[in-house]
Structures are given as structure tokens and as C-alpha cells.
């Protein structure tokens, strides 16, 4: 085996740095500033993203809104006023739909049907963002 010189050792050290757990850059900041949107209830801010026509027979428009949950905040168990698709964009949210409960983490997508009940809570210590696409009837 060939001996290891200083240049090779330096390159090997740089290559292995991510593997051996050297300090990493700080985690990304929240996708929204603390004062983004409007506060609709304690700890929850609503950021309206827009309204678009959609080509699904039962629906006329899609209304897209992000809800920013401070740690410990949440929506109470309430009836859904229309069908919707939800996606966790950042953090994680505990979800209760009827008798079913689960923790939805970043990237998770789920549906909420009109006239069903749902409760959502940010039980973590970090901000969570839930994007809601309300499907408005034709």
C-alpha cells in the first residue's frame, strides 16, 4: 500500500467530514417571517396564496392558503366546510380525523371531506406550515 501524504490526507478528511459528523450548517429558517399573513387565532397565521379556476367537474375554483402554526397551537375539532387537500410543507402536525389520529410530517399529503370533523395541532417545538387547497364547488 502506498503511503499517505499530507495532500491525500486532507482530501480524505474533506470527503469524510459529512460521514463522521462534523458540525453542519444551521437548519433552514422557517419559510415565513413571524409576522407573515394575518393571525386568525392564537399561534396560527393565515397566508393567502391565491384562487384559481380548476377543470374538475364538481369544483369551480381552488383556493390555496398556508397556515403557519407556532409550537403548541392548533385548530379545534371542527367540521370541514368543503372538500380540501392538505400538505405539510414544514415541520409536523398532529391530525385527528374522526377516530383516526396520526402525525403528518413535512411532505405528507391528506384529504379532508366536506362535513367531516378534523383537529390539527403542532405538538413540536418548531414552526409548522400546512398548505390547504380548498376545492370550491361549481
Amino acid at each position: 500500500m502506498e503511503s499517505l501524504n499530507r495532500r491525500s490526507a486532507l482530501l480524505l478528511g474533506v470527503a469524510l467530514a459529512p460521514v463522521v459528523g462534523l458540525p453542519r450548517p444551521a437548519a433552514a429558517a422557517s419559510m415565513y417571517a413571524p409576522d407573515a399573513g394575518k393571525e386568525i387565532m392564537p399561534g396560527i397565521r393565515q397566508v393567502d396564496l391565491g384562487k384559481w379556476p380548476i377543470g374538475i367537474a364538481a369544483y369551480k375554483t381552488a383556493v390555496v392558503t398556508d397556515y403557519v402554526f407556532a409550537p403548541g397551537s392548533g385548530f379545534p375539532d371542527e367540521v370541514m366546510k368543503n372538500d380540501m387537500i392538505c400538505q405539510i410543507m414544514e415541520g409536523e402536525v398532529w391530525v385527528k380525523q374522526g377516530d383516526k389520529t396520526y402525525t403528518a410530517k413535512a411532505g405528507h399529503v391528506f384529504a379532508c371531506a366536506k362535513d367531516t370533523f378534523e383537529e390539527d395541532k403542532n405538538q413540536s417545538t418548531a414552526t409548522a406550515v400546512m398548505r390547504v387547497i380548498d376545492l370550491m364547488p361549481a
Side-chain angles (χ1 to χ4, degrees):
M1 185 156 117
E2 201 174 284
S3 67
L4 193 65
N5 63 30
R6 281 188 277 178
R7 181 176 292 170
S8 297
L10 178 62
L11 290 174
L12 182 62
V14 169
L16 290 176
V19 177
V20 296
L22 292 178
R24 300 173 201 261
S30 175
M31 59 191 284
Y32 289 110
D35 60 348
K38 61 183 174 193
E39 188 170 44
I40 58 168
M41 54 189 345
I44 299 181
R45 300 192 70 80
Q46 177 180 322
V47 180
D48 296 322
L49 299 178
K51 179 179 178 178
W52 294 272
I54 56 175
I56 301 175
Y59 306 105
K60 181 178 180 180
T61 56
V63 178
V64 183
T65 309
D66 280 355
Y67 294 96
V68 183
F69 293 74
S73 67
F75 288 122
D77 196 15
E78 59 189 6
V79 69
M80 300 294 101
K81 296 177 182 173
N82 49 273
D83 294 334
M84 60 187 78
I85 306 295
C86 302
Q87 181 177 14
I88 305 305
M89 304 303 293
E90 181 178 294
E92 57 185 52
V93 176
W94 175 85
V95 179
K96 177 184 176 198
Q97 292 178 316
D99 294 335
K100 181 180 171 186
T101 62
Y102 55 92
T103 299
K105 297 184 179 194
H108 186 97
V109 175
F110 56 99
C112 311
K114 181 180 179 184
D115 298 328
T116 62
F117 283 82
E118 180 175 307
E119 180 179 359
D120 307 289
K121 289 183 183 175
N122 179 358
Q123 296 179 329
S124 76
T125 58
T127 298
V129 178
M130 180 169 66
R131 177 158 298 160
V132 176
I133 302 170
D134 285 295
L135 301 171
M136 307 309 287

PDB file of all heavy atoms in Angstrom, residues 116-129:
ATOM      1  N   THR A 116     -66.969  16.396   7.421  1.00  0.00           N
ATOM      2  CA  THR A 116     -66.275  15.539   8.381  1.00  0.00           C
ATOM      3  C   THR A 116     -65.601  16.440   9.410  1.00  0.00           C
ATOM      4  O   THR A 116     -65.449  17.635   9.196  1.00  0.00           O
ATOM      5  CB  THR A 116     -65.228  14.642   7.691  1.00  0.00           C
ATOM      6  OG1 THR A 116     -64.236  15.470   7.076  1.00  0.00           O
ATOM      7  CG2 THR A 116     -65.878  13.729   6.656  1.00  0.00           C
ATOM      8  N   PHE A 117     -65.177  15.860  10.519  1.00  0.00           N
ATOM      9  CA  PHE A 117     -64.528  16.625  11.577  1.00  0.00           C
ATOM     10  C   PHE A 117     -63.026  16.384  11.560  1.00  0.00           C
ATOM     11  O   PHE A 117     -62.562  15.275  11.287  1.00  0.00           O
ATOM     12  CB  PHE A 117     -65.100  16.241  12.946  1.00  0.00           C
ATOM     13  CG  PHE A 117     -66.438  16.850  13.213  1.00  0.00           C
ATOM     14  CD1 PHE A 117     -67.587  16.266  12.697  1.00  0.00           C
ATOM     15  CD2 PHE A 117     -66.550  18.017  13.947  1.00  0.00           C
ATOM     16  CE1 PHE A 117     -68.832  16.832  12.925  1.00  0.00           C
ATOM     17  CE2 PHE A 117     -67.786  18.599  14.182  1.00  0.00           C
ATOM     18  CZ  PHE A 117     -68.927  17.997  13.666  1.00  0.00           C
ATOM     19  N   GLU A 118     -62.278  17.458  11.860  1.00  0.00           N
ATOM     20  CA  GLU A 118     -60.815  17.350  11.922  1.00  0.00           C
ATOM     21  C   GLU A 118     -60.284  18.303  12.980  1.00  0.00           C
ATOM     22  O   GLU A 118     -60.813  19.394  13.178  1.00  0.00           O
ATOM     23  CB  GLU A 118     -60.200  17.683  10.567  1.00  0.00           C
ATOM     24  CG  GLU A 118     -58.675  17.573  10.585  1.00  0.00           C
ATOM     25  CD  GLU A 118     -58.075  17.787   9.218  1.00  0.00           C
ATOM     26  OE1 GLU A 118     -58.506  17.104   8.274  1.00  0.00           O
ATOM     27  OE2 GLU A 118     -57.189  18.644   9.106  1.00  0.00           O
ATOM     28  N   GLU A 119     -59.211  17.862  13.624  1.00  0.00           N
ATOM     29  CA  GLU A 119     -58.482  18.678  14.596  1.00  0.00           C
ATOM     30  C   GLU A 119     -57.011  18.611  14.215  1.00  0.00           C
ATOM     31  O   GLU A 119     -56.521  17.551  13.820  1.00  0.00           O
ATOM     32  CB  GLU A 119     -58.692  18.108  15.999  1.00  0.00           C
ATOM     33  CG  GLU A 119     -57.992  18.852  17.097  1.00  0.00           C
ATOM     34  CD  GLU A 119     -58.252  18.244  18.475  1.00  0.00           C
ATOM     35  OE1 GLU A 119     -58.999  17.250  18.585  1.00  0.00           O
ATOM     36  OE2 GLU A 119     -57.690  18.768  19.440  1.00  0.00           O
ATOM     37  N   ASP A 120     -56.297  19.736  14.292  1.00  0.00           N
ATOM     38  CA  ASP A 120     -54.878  19.799  13.925  1.00  0.00           C
ATOM     39  C   ASP A 120     -54.113  20.532  15.024  1.00  0.00           C
ATOM     40  O   ASP A 120     -54.562  21.576  15.484  1.00  0.00           O
ATOM     41  CB  ASP A 120     -54.695  20.570  12.608  1.00  0.00           C
ATOM     42  CG  ASP A 120     -55.566  20.026  11.493  1.00  0.00           C
ATOM     43  OD1 ASP A 120     -55.281  18.929  11.009  1.00  0.00           O
ATOM     44  OD2 ASP A 120     -56.534  20.713  11.114  1.00  0.00           O
ATOM     45  N   LYS A 121     -52.944  19.982  15.402  1.00  0.00           N
ATOM     46  CA  LYS A 121     -52.117  20.630  16.429  1.00  0.00           C
ATOM     47  C   LYS A 121     -50.644  20.486  16.095  1.00  0.00           C
ATOM     48  O   LYS A 121     -50.209  19.434  15.626  1.00  0.00           O
ATOM     49  CB  LYS A 121     -52.352  19.987  17.796  1.00  0.00           C
ATOM     50  CG  LYS A 121     -53.680  20.283  18.415  1.00  0.00           C
ATOM     51  CD  LYS A 121     -53.779  19.667  19.801  1.00  0.00           C
ATOM     52  CE  LYS A 121     -55.153  19.923  20.381  1.00  0.00           C
ATOM     53  NZ  LYS A 121     -55.344  19.254  21.656  1.00  0.00           N
ATOM     54  N   ASN A 122     -49.891  21.536  16.373  1.00  0.00           N
ATOM     55  CA  ASN A 122     -48.435  21.488  16.287  1.00  0.00           C
ATOM     56  C   ASN A 122     -47.937  21.136  17.681  1.00  0.00           C
ATOM     57  O   ASN A 122     -47.882  21.992  18.554  1.00  0.00           O
ATOM     58  CB  ASN A 122     -47.862  22.820  15.821  1.00  0.00           C
ATOM     59  CG  ASN A 122     -46.349  22.804  15.752  1.00  0.00           C
ATOM     60  OD1 ASN A 122     -45.704  21.814  16.080  1.00  0.00           O
ATOM     61  ND2 ASN A 122     -45.773  23.914  15.335  1.00  0.00           N
ATOM     62  N   GLN A 123     -47.591  19.880  17.890  1.00  0.00           N
ATOM     63  CA  GLN A 123     -47.134  19.431  19.201  1.00  0.00           C
ATOM     64  C   GLN A 123     -45.617  19.475  19.339  1.00  0.00           C
ATOM     65  O   GLN A 123     -45.084  19.068  20.354  1.00  0.00           O
ATOM     66  CB  GLN A 123     -47.649  18.013  19.472  1.00  0.00           C
ATOM     67  CG  GLN A 123     -49.155  17.945  19.554  1.00  0.00           C
ATOM     68  CD  GLN A 123     -49.671  16.540  19.809  1.00  0.00           C
ATOM     69  OE1 GLN A 123     -49.080  15.547  19.404  1.00  0.00           O
ATOM     70  NE2 GLN A 123     -50.800  16.459  20.494  1.00  0.00           N
ATOM     71  N   SER A 124     -44.937  19.987  18.323  1.00  0.00           N
ATOM     72  CA  SER A 124     -43.473  20.042  18.362  1.00  0.00           C
ATOM     73  C   SER A 124     -43.002  21.391  18.914  1.00  0.00           C
ATOM     74  O   SER A 124     -43.814  22.240  19.271  1.00  0.00           O
ATOM     75  CB  SER A 124     -42.906  19.820  16.959  1.00  0.00           C
ATOM     76  OG  SER A 124     -43.068  20.990  16.181  1.00  0.00           O
ATOM     77  N   THR A 125     -41.695  21.574  18.914  1.00  0.00           N
ATOM     78  CA  THR A 125     -41.120  22.838  19.390  1.00  0.00           C
ATOM     79  C   THR A 125     -40.703  23.742  18.228  1.00  0.00           C
ATOM     80  O   THR A 125     -40.074  24.768  18.441  1.00  0.00           O
ATOM     81  CB  THR A 125     -39.893  22.568  20.280  1.00  0.00           C
ATOM     82  OG1 THR A 125     -38.939  21.817  19.512  1.00  0.00           O
ATOM     83  CG2 THR A 125     -40.284  21.787  21.527  1.00  0.00           C
ATOM     84  N   ALA A 126     -41.045  23.343  16.994  1.00  0.00           N
ATOM     85  CA  ALA A 126     -40.698  24.125  15.808  1.00  0.00           C
ATOM     86  C   ALA A 126     -41.967  24.581  15.087  1.00  0.00           C
ATOM     87  O   ALA A 126     -43.032  23.986  15.243  1.00  0.00           O
ATOM     88  CB  ALA A 126     -39.846  23.275  14.866  1.00  0.00           C
ATOM     89  N   THR A 127     -41.831  25.608  14.283  1.00  0.00           N
ATOM     90  CA  THR A 127     -42.945  26.099  13.475  1.00  0.00           C
ATOM     91  C   THR A 127     -43.346  25.024  12.463  1.00  0.00           C
ATOM     92  O   THR A 127     -42.501  24.302  11.947  1.00  0.00           O
ATOM     93  CB  THR A 127     -42.520  27.380  12.728  1.00  0.00           C
ATOM     94  OG1 THR A 127     -42.187  28.367  13.698  1.00  0.00           O
ATOM     95  CG2 THR A 127     -43.616  27.901  11.830  1.00  0.00           C
ATOM     96  N   ALA A 128     -44.641  24.935  12.175  1.00  0.00           N
ATOM     97  CA  ALA A 128     -45.145  24.027  11.148  1.00  0.00           C
ATOM     98  C   ALA A 128     -45.978  24.834  10.157  1.00  0.00           C
ATOM     99  O   ALA A 128     -46.612  25.819  10.530  1.00  0.00           O
ATOM    100  CB  ALA A 128     -45.995  22.923  11.776  1.00  0.00           C
ATOM    101  N   VAL A 129     -45.957  24.415   8.904  1.00  0.00           N
ATOM    102  CA  VAL A 129     -46.742  25.072   7.867  1.00  0.00           C
ATOM    103  C   VAL A 129     -47.587  24.009   7.161  1.00  0.00           C
ATOM    104  O   VAL A 129     -47.049  23.016   6.679  1.00  0.00           O
ATOM    105  CB  VAL A 129     -45.855  25.809   6.840  1.00  0.00           C
ATOM    106  CG1 VAL A 129     -46.698  26.436   5.743  1.00  0.00           C
ATOM    107  CG2 VAL A 129     -44.993  26.865   7.522  1.00  0.00           C
TER     108      VAL A 129
END
